[in-house]
């Protein structure tokens, strides 16, 4: 993949977000418009993941978080859930060597241990093999839900307070952030959602408090490096006030 067009889209003087999160939406509609089964849309979506993760590296994005499987996705038909798990296996097998070679560190957020034991083992192995990498971080949200993440963080803090380890009065936003799945990642700068939907769908609710939100009509399988570069340009053109003037 040539990175020249992508890099040329970076605004002069910087403006590249450190941490970008993407709600990858529209695989099913992409397939339906082509009279294809939903699996074909999900497969095309994996190809988009590959393009976008490479483009993120070319753009200099430090952390890219992808909403791959939400805690609500279990409500989908069993066959579709099985297809998604199979594609995750394929992605790990086909792309892990590249992540190791390109110095990418894989990070998982969410309760992925609910998955089949062989898939959990594959994920654990992938995380372990990239743990020593010092380059950009690829964060995959698997069986993730932001409300559950916040409840778990609150419960851990309550248990520590009950045990006398911390003073409840000392619990502040920083204490909560340290308990989140995203602890030690750069602050979230930009959230992109594809397919024209305009909601966060229980994704990084705390982390997105001051993130820029960008909703695009492009269906996820059609999203590519140039689309990501355009999102970076849009981000660079916004003025972030954080509640100030």
């Amino acid at each position: 993949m040539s990175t020249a067009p992508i890099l040329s889209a970076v605004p002069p003087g910087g403006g590249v977000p450190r941490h970008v999160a993407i709600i990858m939406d529209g695989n099913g509609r992409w397939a339906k418009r082509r009279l294809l089964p939903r699996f074909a849309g999900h497969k095309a979506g994996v190809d988009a993941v590959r393009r976008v993760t490479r483009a993120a590296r070319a753009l200099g994005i430090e952390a890219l978080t992808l909403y791959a499987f939400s805690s609500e996705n279990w409500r989908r038909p069993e066959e579709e859930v099985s297809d998604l798990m199979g594609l995750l296996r394929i992605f790990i097998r086909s792309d892990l060597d590249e992540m190791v070679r390109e110095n990418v560190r894989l990070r998982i957020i969410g309760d992925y241990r609910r998955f089949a034991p062989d898939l959990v083992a594959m994920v654990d192995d992938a995380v372990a093999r990239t743990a020593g990498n010092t380059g950009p971080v690829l964060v995959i949200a698997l069986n993730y839900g932001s409300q559950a993440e916040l409840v778990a963080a609150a419960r851990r803090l309550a248990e520590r307070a009950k045990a006398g380890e911390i003073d409840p009065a000392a619990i502040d936003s920083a204490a909560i952030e340290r308990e989140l799945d995203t602890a030690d990642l750069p602050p979230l700068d930009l959230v992109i959602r594809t397919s024209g939907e305009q909601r966060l769908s229980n994704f990084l609710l705390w982390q997105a408090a001051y993130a820029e939100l960008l909703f695009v009509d492009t269906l996820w399988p059609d999203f590519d490096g140039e689309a990501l570069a355009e999102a970076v340009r849009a981000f660079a053109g916004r003025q972030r006030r954080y509640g100030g003037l």
Side-chain angles (χ1 to χ4, degrees):
M1 182 195 73
S2 172
T3 61
I6 296 172
L7 292 174
S8 68
V10 177
V16 175
R18 295 180 65 198
H19 185 178
V20 176
I22 305 179
I23 301 172
M24 306 178 293
D25 197 12
N27 291 347
R29 275 166 284 175
W30 184 92
K32 184 176 181 180
R33 290 178 184 180
R34 290 161 176 77
L35 304 179
L36 296 171
R38 287 180 65 85
F39 176 78
H42 293 312
K43 186 174 184 299
V46 172
D47 293 336
V49 167
R50 190 170 293 115
R51 293 193 303 268
V52 170
T53 53
R54 290 170 178 168
R57 295 200 300 269
L59 286 163
I61 294 168
E62 295 179 35
L64 176 68
T65 299
L66 302 177
Y67 204 9
F69 192 88
S70 78
S71 53
E72 288 78 24
N73 284 158
W74 294 107
R75 301 171 186 169
R76 295 188 178 187
E78 184 177 347
E79 181 180 1
E80 183 171 354
V81 171
S82 178
D83 287 343
L84 289 169
M85 297 299 116
L87 287 171
L88 177 58
R89 290 182 176 89
I90 291 171
F91 176 75
I92 292 173
R93 292 192 189 103
S94 63
D95 286 55
L96 180 56
D97 286 344
E98 180 177 335
M99 283 188 276
V100 172
R101 185 173 63 251
E102 295 295 327
N103 198 29
V104 174
R105 180 162 60 93
L106 180 64
R107 172 87 169 265
I108 306 297
I109 61 174
D111 183 17
Y112 70 94
R113 296 194 178 279
R114 182 177 170 184
F115 295 166
D118 72 301
L119 182 52
V120 172
M122 285 184 69
V123 172
D124 284 341
D125 177 66
V127 170
R129 284 187 58 190
T130 64
N133 290 352
T134 57
V137 183
L138 174 61
V139 186
I140 307 294
L142 296 174
N143 194 27
Y144 172 86
S146 188
Q147 291 176 334
E149 175 190 30
L150 289 166
V151 168
R155 185 177 293 121
R156 285 191 293 270
L157 288 169
E159 290 171 349
R160 291 179 61 196
K162 183 179 179 181
E165 297 175 7
I166 57 173
D167 180 356
I171 297 174
D172 55 11
S173 59
I176 295 173
E177 288 175 358
R178 287 192 293 269
E179 296 293 334
L180 298 179
D181 292 357
T182 52
D184 78 24
L185 289 173
L188 183 59
D189 291 316
L190 174 64
V191 178
I192 303 167
R193 181 168 187 149
T194 60
S195 87
E197 302 293 342
Q198 298 187 19
R199 56 182 178 274
L200 291 178
S201 295
N202 199 19
F203 183 52
L204 300 177
L205 300 179
W206 175 283
Q207 296 87 339
Y210 282 102
E212 295 296 314
L213 308 181
L214 182 64
F215 302 104
V216 298
D217 292 332
T218 307
L219 299 177
W220 175 247
D222 293 326
F223 200 84
D224 57 15
E226 293 301 325
L228 181 62
E230 183 59 34
V232 168
R233 292 180 65 186
F235 171 85
R238 295 187 183 185
Q239 185 175 359
R240 306 180 76 191
R241 296 185 177 87
Y242 300 96
L245 297 178

